[in-house]
Amino acid sequence: MKEDIAIYGLEYKARTLSALTADTDSVGFLIGTQSLVMSNNQVHIVQLNEETNDMSAKIYQHDAGEIWSLISSPYDASLLVTCYNSVVTSPELQCTMGSSLWRLPNDDGTSESLLPLEKVCDFDFLSHGPEVKVTAFHPTDQTKLASVVENKILLWDLGKNSAKLTSETVMEGKGQPKFYSGKFNPQQSGSQFATLNETFVRGWDLRAQSSQVWVIQEAHSQFVRDLDFNPNRQHFLGTCGDDGKSKFWDMRNLTKPVITRSDHAHWVWSLRYNHYHDQLIATSSSDMKVILTCLSSISSESSYNQADDILDEDVENMGDLDVKNSNKPSESIKSDKNVDDVIATFEEHEDSVYCVEWSSADPWIVASLSYDGRLLINHVPKAEKYKIIL
Amino acid sequence: MEPPEKPRGSPFDINGPDFNPDLYLQKLFKECSLKHIMDCESEVVKDCQLLNSDMQTLVYENYNKFILATDTIKKMKTDFKKMEDEMEMLIQNMNSITSFSEMITSTLQGTHGQISKLSGVHALLKKLQFLFKLPGKLKLLLQEEDYEQAVQEFVKTQPILDYYGDLDSFQGIQKDCNDILQKLKTKLRDQLKNKDTSAKKLIKCIDLLLQLQEPSDQLCSEYLTFVDSRLAEQLSSMQITHSGQDAAEFMDSGANVFLTDLCLIVTSYTDMFLNRTNSLEDSEAVGKLNSFVIRNMNSYLEIVQLKLEGTSEEDTAVLVSALDRLYCRLQAFNSLFTHVDFTVKGMELIISAAHRQCRNHLVSLKSHFADSLARVKQSLAAPKYTSSHTEGSVYTSNKSLDLSSNSALSTELLTSLVLASVEKVKGILQDLLLFLQPELTFISKYNFKEAFCIDGVREGLVVSFLHHVTATVQASAHKVPLQLLLLLSKMCLEYESNSVRYLLNVTDEWFSININASRAEQELLSSEAEICTGMKTAAQYLMNQYVFAAGSALSVMVKKSVDTRDWFHCAEPRTVRAAMKRVIEDITTIDCQVGALFEEGTRTGGSSDSSRRVSAQQSARSYQHHSRWGTSAASQVSNVSLPAAAINKIFSQNIDIFAPIQFSRISILTGIINITLKALLECVRLKTFNKYGLQQVQVDTHYLKIYLWRFVADETVIRNLLDEVVRSVTNRCIDGDKQLMEHGILEIICEKG
């Protein structure tokens, strides 16, 4: 059964997507584009009318550069932070990266041309390194943000028109390791920050300098692309990477994953927990698919919640074996609510899908963005929805 | 005289009684002449005279006799007179005797009554004397331990004692007797409780006690407790003497000691306690016996079971004979004790033992399989080392050598994996056939055959093993080297196409399992198709893993090569990057490995004449198709009009780059190459390029185009992917003009590479 799909197309390549986290009333998403012609870059705010399944979009200019990272503020729907790459042609051709906090301008709909975003402040990290990967909002304190620059985590304090660097955490290591991305742990009142580099996932305590709390040595056999914390259940997080797998970890025992799934045929770029029903996991991959997985066994709603030590191999192997089943059309219908399995595969993308996000307003809506600029808004299949609710 | 012959009785016969003289004369006168008559007359006269003289002699003789007789009679008359006198005297004497005897009788009459009374008293006294002696005698017998005699004596006298019991004088005796009896009983009881008492002695004891009117229900309980303890001892000794005994010996000793004893107990119990008292007590006693026997048999069977479970019997023959003996004994016991059928339990034991044997075999099969896997892993590891040596330097010359040894090795390993397992299974089946020897007693039971053949052998062993194979290879998919993955996938295919059917057929045939049996039975049997599907799934899974892993390995290389370069400050390209050559080399190696095991497969798309670099072993494959995409694609890209690229893309996207992998060389290689190229695409999208960076990518992709087409099923897929790489890089190129390299120069550079 095909549920309603809403499609939105962009003119430019795009690899950043963020849900309008602060707006819990309407389904909205932010998209940042990538174009090496600086003036072409835009931020789209796409809103879905759930009644008609139509989409309305507002477009703002982001001429600072091509957007590599975009996060909407969880406190104010009109605030967003981007990391971008801008090309400077004079005096000589070169690229510089920047990261800024922006405000969406009040759009009265009268102006003909695209309104530019209003810059609130810049994050001046260049003294620490040329490349910024992400700037993230603190989960509880709206005056704080953290940037991942090279091998450092920089913590900012937001002033009126500027951001003041308050602390830095440095990862030491051979061969100049660089972070690929990072994220706050929403559970520990924002004191913990997790980073990705190569096959490592590390947890840091930002209150102390250079204090690594935990590490997963080889989270994936290849590059780790993304991580997400279970928003409702402490200690659990999911990672995904170039080995095409999604793995789910219990931070108290990081020697091996609780569940490993390999549903994708190529690199998995993004993994997101549903904020309301954390058994629902969305993953997107360069095999051009978005897959929804229901992992009841490790969700906070799981009936055997306390049985935390289901860390045996069987689960892992079974997880892997299930993959081949899910590819077969003659899949046996599993009535058991607790069986972990793929519940939906969205194949309408025609290029690599780098981002997937759950709506912050409607727990059953998931948006995904492929490189060619196509945004898909999908619903969790009704049957699965009822299984979870009932 | 010549009288004519006349009929008898005729009146003419002169000697006959009917002779009529007148008729005779008349006839004579009529017939004869005178002379003749004269003769006749003289003859008759002569005869008459002869007859007269004869008569005279007769008379004289008789007269003499008569005179003699008269004399005799006269003599007799005088004798009789004498006798008469003597008779009279006799009568007189008899009369006097009678009178005398009457006199005697009358005189003796008084004393006779006294005598008879006295003799009666004498007999009684004798008996009473016995009674008086009884206590002493009993005591003596007790001392001599001749209990049997004692009891006999007592039982004989008991009615008398009972009769005279109320007399004072006898009360003492009775008391003595009772005391002694009590002693006797306690002694007997002591014997009952004494563990050293032999079974026969015991039975005697019980018998005696029974004769002494002891309550039978109490006795039978005591008896049972006693024998119970003995049996318990035996059982415990059976438990102890486990080591160093094989199963058959154990069965024998167990049956000899325990079952014989139990049989004896049952028989003697039946003799002693049953069929004597009333039916109510009888049934009570039977109940006791039943519970006793059931309890003991159960614990015996339990021990047997423990023994069977505890010792993993290597030799099936020994086990089978042990089970056979057990069953025989149980059957024999069953005929004796009919209340509970222990053969049922025994059957269960046998079936479970048979199943255990199957399981043991399964375990050994599994470890054998694991061993052969490990062996294969080792032998794969060794040549791999050398092949990595040859890489790069003297590429072509070593290649063919390496290849042939490689393919030989692969097929050899494959056969060793498949055939060895199949043979091992066959050997085990042969071994298990011992359970089906026709002379075994338990074989005739239908449920054994069914349970053993279907549940034990077919499902429990063969099917389980096949399932194990699929499960093992799938579980090990993450831990084994690439080449082994490939090998295992092929192995599963091999199983699917041949071995599964072969093994199942052999099993069904040897164990006479009817495939076309009823529906209910059909459900018990796992079908060949089901297992084959499992195998196929496993093969597919392994193949997918292989393709993904091989693709990933190449992807890592590609990714490194892209990441380590500063594309933004690239110099003008002069050569193909080394990493690309490496990719081609690795893919060629993979191609060899795959080719050693898998069929060629079919191509869907067209081929190219731009690929002149067909190596020696590649030329063996014949391609008749030709196309010219190599040049046309390049010129398209050099025009770099965005709409054209978009249109190109619209058409290209219809092909699924992650199509399911089939079991052919082409399909496998296609999968690997697609994953690798996709990785290249993803990597370049993360970079920013200058003009020369773009041109370098152009060179690289062109090189890949030239070499990769021959490995894949549909070259349009890789062409599209490579074009997409160039397009993406073009997008990511910072130089305004985005100038692409001339196709001719591309060709030259690639030629050089």
Side-chain angles (χ1 to χ4, degrees), chain B residues 76-92:
Chain B
M76 271 174 75
K77 227 178 183 174
T78 51
D79 286 351
F80 268 116
K81 206 145 205 186
K82 222 174 173 183
M83 209 143 67
E84 207 167 299
D85 294 345
E86 282 176 10
M87 278 307 283
E88 255 168 37
M89 251 179 42
L90 185 64
I91 288 172
Q92 266 179 3

Side-chain angles (χ1 to χ4, degrees), chain A residues 35-38 66 85-89 92-96, chain B residues 567-570 687-694 728-739:
Chain A
S35 167
L36 285 169
V37 178
M38 295 304 119
E66 51 168 6
N85 176 33
S86 52
V87 179
V88 185
T89 43
E92 57 168 350
L93 195 69
Q94 74 174 71
C95 296
T96 45
Chain B
W567 296 94
F568 192 69
H569 299 103
C570 231
K687 299 288 165 191
T688 311
F689 297 81
N690 70 355
K691 183 172 76 183
Y692 296 128
L694 168 62
S728 287
V729 173
T730 314
N731 267 327
R732 303 285 319 148
C733 179
I734 206 156
D735 281 327
D737 52 356
K738 301 191 177 180
Q739 195 183 356

Side-chain angles (χ1 to χ4, degrees), chain B residues 354-604:
Chain B
H355 279 206
R356 205 163 28 252
Q357 193 70 2
C358 289
R359 272 199 298 282
N360 288 343
H361 278 310
L362 183 60
V363 169
S364 76
L365 257 186
K366 281 179 179 172
S367 68
H368 173 261
F369 182 67
D371 285 350
S372 54
L373 266 190
R375 252 200 322 282
V376 168
K377 213 185 269 184
Q378 270 180 354
S379 45
L380 274 181
K384 212 175 186 187
Y385 183 69
T386 57
S387 78
S388 70
H389 254 286
T390 62
E391 246 168 58
S393 53
V394 207
Y395 182 72
T396 39
S397 60
N398 282 350
K399 194 75 211 172
S400 57
L401 257 173
D402 192 26
L403 185 73
S404 61
S405 72
N406 213 339
S407 81
L409 178 74
S410 292
T411 39
E412 190 187 305
L413 289 176
L414 183 67
T415 30
S416 84
L417 259 182
V418 178
L419 277 186
S421 292
V422 169
E423 284 309 311
K424 180 95 177 149
V425 172
K426 265 178 80 178
I428 280 168
L429 288 180
Q430 209 120 36
D431 188 35
L432 287 176
L433 270 179
L434 286 171
F435 274 103
L436 293 186
Q437 290 167 97
E439 65 267 22
L440 296 178
T441 41
F442 56 77
I443 190 77
S444 55
K445 298 284 173 198
Y446 176 64
N447 57 357
F448 170 75
K449 246 186 147 178
E450 189 187 23
F452 177 67
C453 293
I454 293 179
D455 293 352
V457 178
R458 194 182 195 271
E459 301 300 315
L461 187 72
V462 180
V463 174
S464 288
F465 174 65
L466 293 173
H467 282 317
H468 170 76
V469 168
T470 53
T472 312
V473 294
Q474 290 189 49
S476 66
H478 305 279
K479 305 160 207 156
V480 299
L482 278 181
Q483 222 184 328
L484 186 55
L485 264 182
L486 198 63
L487 206 63
L488 290 178
S489 176
K490 181 70 182 174
M491 181 195 79
C492 287
L493 276 184
E494 202 63 35
Y495 266 110
E496 188 232 344
S497 58
N498 294 319
S499 305
V500 168
R501 184 180 323 133
Y502 176 70
L503 281 178
L504 288 183
N505 283 349
V506 164
T507 314
D508 292 346
E509 197 181 302
W510 286 2
F511 292 86
S512 54
I513 293 163
N514 192 1
I515 295 284
N516 306 316
S518 60
R519 279 187 76 87
E521 242 173 83
Q522 197 88 57
E523 275 164 27
L524 289 174
L525 300 174
S526 329
S527 70
E528 181 193 324
E530 192 183 309
I531 298 165
C532 283
T533 319
M535 281 291 176
K536 182 98 181 180
T537 323
Q540 186 71 56
Y541 175 72
L542 290 168
M543 185 47 78
N544 291 347
Q545 287 291 319
Y546 172 75
V547 167
F548 194 82
S552 295
L554 288 168
S555 298
V556 169
M557 196 160 69
V558 166
K559 181 175 186 304
K560 260 197 193 120
S561 80
V562 173
D563 282 354
T564 49
R565 201 170 175 110
D566 183 4
W567 296 94
F568 192 69
H569 299 103
C570 231
E572 195 170 355
R574 298 266 174 249
T575 56
V576 179
R577 282 184 303 137
M580 294 302 132
K581 293 182 186 165
R582 210 25 227 289
V583 167
I584 298 295
E585 277 170 26
D586 283 6
I587 287 177
T588 316
T589 316
I590 289 170
D591 186 52
C592 294
Q593 288 172 359
V594 175
L597 289 170
F598 288 90
E599 299 284 315
E600 178 71 34
T602 51
R603 271 158 213 285
T604 50

Side-chain angles (χ1 to χ4, degrees), chain B residues 634-670:
Chain B
S635 59
Q636 250 177 31
V637 176
S638 61
N639 288 337
V640 79
S641 56
L642 268 174
I647 289 165
N648 194 8
K649 198 176 170 186
I650 287 166
F651 290 114
S652 70
Q653 286 299 334
N654 294 328
I655 301 150
D656 185 6
I657 61 163
F658 299 110
I661 311 295
Q662 283 145 13
F663 298 103
S664 69
R665 187 178 188 163
I666 297 269
S667 177
I668 294 164
L669 264 293
T670 307

Side-chain angles (χ1 to χ4, degrees), chain B residues 2 13 28 39 82 94 133 167 174 250 384 389 396 474 586 610 724:
Chain B
E2 295 167 284
D13 183 7
L28 215 55
D39 290 347
K82 222 174 173 183
M94 280 309 285
K133 267 195 219 155
L167 291 176
Q174 196 168 19
F250 171 81
K384 212 175 186 187
H389 254 286
T396 39
Q474 290 189 49
D586 283 6
S610 67
E724 180 62 34

Side-chain angles (χ1 to χ4, degrees), chain B residues 613-625:
Chain B
R613 277 157 253 257
V614 181
S615 70
Q617 101 265 10
Q618 295 292 348
S619 65
R621 311 184 198 167
S622 56
Y623 306 133
Q624 306 302 325
H625 316 286

Side-chain angles (χ1 to χ4, degrees), chain A residues 66 222 286 320 352 354, chain B residues 478 548 552 678 682 685 732:
Chain A
E66 51 168 6
Q222 294 176 48
S286 41
D320 291 346
S352 303
Y354 297 129
Chain B
H478 305 279
F548 194 82
S552 295
K678 185 76 183 172
E682 295 305 330
R685 280 179 177 181
R732 303 285 319 148

